[in-house]
Each structure stands twice: as C-alpha cells, then as structure tokens.
Amino acid sequence: MEHDSRTPSSASALSRRAMVGGVALAALTTTGAVAGTARATTGTGLPWNPVPVPAQRPVTEYQVSVAGGGSLWCWDTGGSGEPVVLLHPGSGSGESWPYQQPVLAAAGHRVIGYSRRGAYRSVAGTKAEADTASGDLDTLADRLGLDRFHLSGSAAGGPLAIDYALAHEDRLLSLTVSGSIMGVQDAEYLELTEALQPDPFGDLPVAVKELGPSYRGGDLDGVAAWLAINVRARTADAFAQSLAHTITWAALETLTLPVQLITGDGDLYSPPSVMRLNAQHLRGVQTHVVDEAGHNPHWEQPAAWNRLLITFLKKHGLGKRGRH
C-alpha cells in the first residue's frame, strides 16, 4: 500500500530543494522483495515543483588510461568515506549525477563517476585492443586505490554493474541496479523485452523513451538539462563494448552480495513487473518502485532515489555485510 508519512500542513511547507538535500525523505512501505515491492512516494496530490540542481562538491578529475589507447574521464569527491561508483545510462555520461554527487558526499561517501569509452570527455581507443567494460572499471578502481566499494549502475550501466559483480564480487560491498533491463540473455527474457519495444519504438524521441510522462509534463527545464547531457554524451569514436560474462538468470543466481533493484513506475524498458521477474533470480534482493518516474528515476525523482541508495549503502557498509 502506498502512503506518505507527512501531514498535509507540513507537506505543503516542504520545498523540493530540501527534499533533494535529504531534509525530507520519501515515505516507503516496508515489504519483502519478492512478496511485494516497496514504493518510493513523492507526495501524492501535491503540485509538481521542479527540483533545482544542488550545489556541487569540489572534485578531482582524472583521465585514466585503459587498454587499446582509451582513456576514461573520471571525477572523484575524495575523502575517507566508503566509496560508491556510479555507472551512467547509455543516454548519459559522467555528467549524469548532479543530483547525487553532493547528497551522497554529504552522507559521508566518497563519490566517483566516470564516462565509459566513447562517452563525454573519454576516448574510446581501438576496439580490437580494448578491454571489456568491466575490465575498464577494474582498471579505474585500481587507479583510484579502491579496495572494496559500492557499485550502482543505471540503465545501460546495469549490465556492466552485474558483469563486474560476476567477475569481482569480493571487491563489492553492495550492488544497485536502477532502471535497467540488466542484460539478461535468456531466450524467453529477450522475447519479452522485444515485445515491450515493438517497432517503431526505437524511432521515438529519446526523452519520450527514457523520461516518464509526469516528469516531461512537470519539469520542462529539467528535461532540457537532461537532453543537453544526452547531446554531449556520445563521441565520434564510440563503439559497443563487450562484457566479460553472458548474463543469464542462472548467472544472477550465483551472486551472494546484497543487491537492490530500483525502477520507475513509468519505465518503458524495465517496468515493475519485469524488475520483479529478475528479482526472483537474486538472493536476498530488495526491490523498489519510484512513483512518477520513467527510465531515469535518479534524475526524475532524485529525493526518493537518493533515499533508497543511501539507506541501502548504510545497511551494507564495511563491517555490516553478513549481518542482514
């Protein structure tokens, strides 16, 4: 059952800016992952007030060399907090996280984002000599001196996050996959996803495919900012990069680390029913649906999404794994 814990008088007084900063937190129902999916609510009945981008924390920027002449543009808030690495959607880049960078840092985390090969400010290099996408991530983690860290992948970043977990599970504290078809290659799953994206789905404007109708109707400036990142995202030398593993339901069942799946209720790629289908193949998984969001809930409903991620990271931090 969906609910909001705020009283009508207090709800009307809260600004969306405060919600992004973590002063107000979205209400969540407490349910099991498979028996029922928790919902992140956004104040049903309240007017839609656009969320301003919060002030960003200072970062150190790097160009991390990877095999085949490639280079990954990376930013890092630094500090001694538990690291969390953010993997961007295919429609975005390392620029995709302005709503997360300062909020996660304020929660005590070292926050790291980067552009994969062929995305904004990164260099693709030579395809024939390139490493896998998860191999690049491991090179980046070594370069930044990461021991164990949290990993969060959104949309096309989801399959990469899963592939990295299959290859280096012992290096991860937790895994979050948001708004993603997860790269599952089982025949029946591919048939399902194809049915969800019939022709001419691929020809639709990118904002229609990836942003929910509530967001597109409620925040025109936010849509424009998202589209500006999208336009800058892909470079002329971009190419499709391989994964190290074939992701199947059987492969998902081998993972033992804490996993969280998030999707928007208006996601055209991974609607809640598909997310729950994949959750059945993960141990101890938590699942969440963000109200009034499409394929990019981290951008469309950042207060709710940030709350989900921060709560999960705290639950599965260093010294806590195995207690839950």
Side-chain angles (χ1 to χ4, degrees):
M1 178 178 179
E2 182 177 325
H3 68 280
D4 194 315
S5 62
R6 294 171 287 166
T7 63
S9 59
S10 64
S12 61
L14 290 170
S15 71
R16 296 275 293 187
R17 186 179 187 87
M19 291 175 69
V20 172
V23 175
L25 300 176
L28 301 176
T29 57
T30 303
T31 57
V34 176
T37 299
R39 301 186 69 90
T41 67
T42 55
T44 303
L46 298 177
W48 187 294
N49 295 312
V51 179
V53 174
Q56 302 294 287
R57 290 290 185 97
V59 297
T60 301
E61 298 186 15
Y62 303 90
Q63 284 289 340
V64 177
S65 297
V66 287
S71 180
L72 307 179
W73 171 64
C74 169
W75 54 261
D76 181 358
T77 61
S80 59
E82 290 180 7
V84 53
V85 177
L86 304 172
L87 302 177
H88 63 80
S91 57
S93 69
E95 287 193 290
S96 293
W97 309 106
Y99 291 111
Q100 283 69 51
Q101 187 253 61
V103 178
L104 291 172
H109 289 281
R110 176 184 176 185
V111 193
I112 296 162
Y114 72 99
S115 293
R116 297 190 291 277
R117 292 178 188 253
Y120 177 74
R121 295 185 65 183
S122 289
V123 177
T126 304
K127 184 175 183 178
E129 299 175 347
D131 201 348
T132 62
S134 57
D136 283 352
L137 173 55
D138 207 47
T139 297
L140 178 79
D142 287 342
R143 170 67 174 80
L144 298 183
L146 304 184
D147 181 14
R148 300 184 68 197
F149 58 95
H150 300 278
L151 186 60
S152 178
S154 291
L160 167 54
I162 293 169
D163 191 50
Y164 189 83
L166 291 171
H168 303 285
E169 183 172 2
D170 60 345
R171 198 165 188 176
L172 295 181
L173 293 167
S174 74
L175 173 64
T176 295
V177 178
S178 175
S180 178
I181 61 173
M182 299 174 57
V184 174
Q185 297 298 302
D186 294 80
E188 56 265 51
Y189 185 74
L190 293 175
E191 183 179 359
L192 170 61
T193 55
E194 183 178 356
L196 288 173
Q197 302 167 36
D199 291 335
F201 181 87
D203 297 328
L204 293 173
V206 64
V208 174
K209 291 186 291 186
E210 299 219 2
L211 300 175
S214 284
Y215 183 74
R216 286 186 279 115
D219 191 349
L220 297 181
D221 289 341
V223 172
W226 183 89
L227 283 170
I229 291 173
N230 170 256
V231 168
R232 292 191 294 269
R234 307 309 294 172
T235 61
D237 61 351
F239 56 79
Q241 199 169 2
S242 63
L243 299 176
H245 299 81
T246 299
I247 300 174
T248 62
W249 283 326
L252 295 182
E253 291 166 2
T254 68
L255 294 174
T256 61
L257 82 168
V259 180
Q260 172 175 236
L261 302 183
I262 304 172
T263 199
D265 62 355
D267 193 327
L268 298 179
Y269 293 87
S270 180
S273 59
V274 173
M275 177 192 67
R276 290 192 295 268
L277 175 62
N278 286 326
Q280 294 175 13
H281 300 278
L282 289 161
R283 309 181 194 184
V285 65
Q286 296 182 25
T287 63
H288 303 278
V289 174
V290 179
D291 285 346
E292 297 194 53
H295 197 47
N296 289 263
H298 68 280
W299 182 277
E300 300 170 66
Q301 295 288 355
W305 195 91
N306 291 346
R307 163 64 188 273
L308 292 172
L309 184 59
I310 290 170
T311 299
F312 189 69
L313 301 187
K314 287 182 178 178
K315 183 177 181 181
H316 299 291
L318 285 167
K320 296 182 180 180
R321 187 171 175 182
R323 297 183 187 177
H324 304 279

